[in-house]
Amino acid sequence: MDLDSVTPLLITFNEIQNIERTLARLGWARRIVVIDSGSTDGTLDVLAKDQRIDVIYRPFDSFAEQCNFGLSQIRTDWVLSLDADYQLSDGFVSELEGLQPAAGDVGYRAAFVYRIHGHALRGTLYPPRAVLYRVAGARYENEGHGHRIRLQGRVSDLRNAIYHDDRKPLSRWLGSQLKYAAREAAHLLETPRERLGRVDRLRLMGWPAPILVLGYVLFVKGAVLDGRAGWFYAFQRLLAEVLLALELLDRRLSDTQDLSRPGQ
């Protein structure tokens, strides 16, 4: 694959703790598109140092719409969609150069190595995702607190991983999780039960998910062997599920109270 046919796309908002590591692995790119929703922490100063980077401001409404707007700014046939806390592994770019996509190949999926302050974990709950794909026909849709790319055609797996290493302050993570829990709870409650997978059905119940996720991350994914970084990640996932369970309980209790009022 000709790397000049690929444009990296990043969505940013106050990523000063991460952005330089992400950009350090994009030296091969002729142009980089960044959709920023109003960074004030120095992120824009870092981006302004690189003449290859086109920074376009767009107020944030949802992850899917930010990404779809970003796709509309891509001039090449292919896009490499990255979060601002991603870092390409050593062999990733070489693998891109060696790709020979056929007409029916519309995208490539990457697995991730999760890092906590630079410490790589043995395993995580972070799923593989399509990161390299043809712009034509690609469309993002919101799903719970996240977003998912919809591609029509064959999506293959890449051999080389991407590192996920978010070093923003814990307080920022907590604030984000409160928002994510609200969106995820709405998604779970509004989606017909028969359309939910087994994991989401457990999460919808409220109480089982926090208990199960802690054991799963520690012992099945091996975080217990990763020292402090592993425990940090396990507690993060536990807290995320606790916040979701609380959000679900809060909404159900509120609905019960509304129904019990006279005149309801």
Side-chain angles (χ1 to χ4, degrees), residues 1 10 17 30 54 62 66-67 74 77-78 82-83 91 114 137 163-164 200 208 211 224 230 239 245 254 257-258 264:
M1 176 179 286
L10 295 101
Q17 291 88 0
R30 177 168 293 185
D54 284 346
S62 74
Q66 288 293 96
C67 291
I74 303 298
D77 292 337
W78 292 81
L82 302 173
D83 287 357
Y114 207 98
Y163 298 110
H164 179 288
D200 280 341
I211 300 170
V224 71
L239 183 54
S254 177
Q257 185 179 38
D258 290 342
Q264 296 293 319

Side-chain angles (χ1 to χ4, degrees), residues 3 156 196 214 247:
L3 293 183
S156 302
L196 294 174
L214 180 62
E247 186 70 34

Side-chain angles (χ1 to χ4, degrees), residues 71-138:
L71 289 179
S72 72
Q73 308 302 311
I74 303 298
R75 302 168 190 159
T76 53
D77 292 337
W78 292 81
V79 62
L80 180 62
S81 175
L82 302 173
D83 287 357
D85 51 17
Y86 288 178
Q87 184 178 359
L88 304 184
S89 59
D90 290 338
F92 193 92
V93 178
S94 296
E95 185 175 358
L96 293 192
E97 288 184 293
L99 293 175
Q100 297 181 351
D105 293 321
V106 299
Y108 293 89
R109 186 186 302 109
F112 290 83
V113 173
Y114 207 98
R115 287 174 168 174
I116 300 294
H117 292 286
H119 300 280
L121 302 182
R122 286 170 171 78
T124 70
L125 302 181
Y126 203 81
R129 56 163 285 206
V131 294
L132 177 69
Y133 51 86
R134 296 184 192 271
V135 177

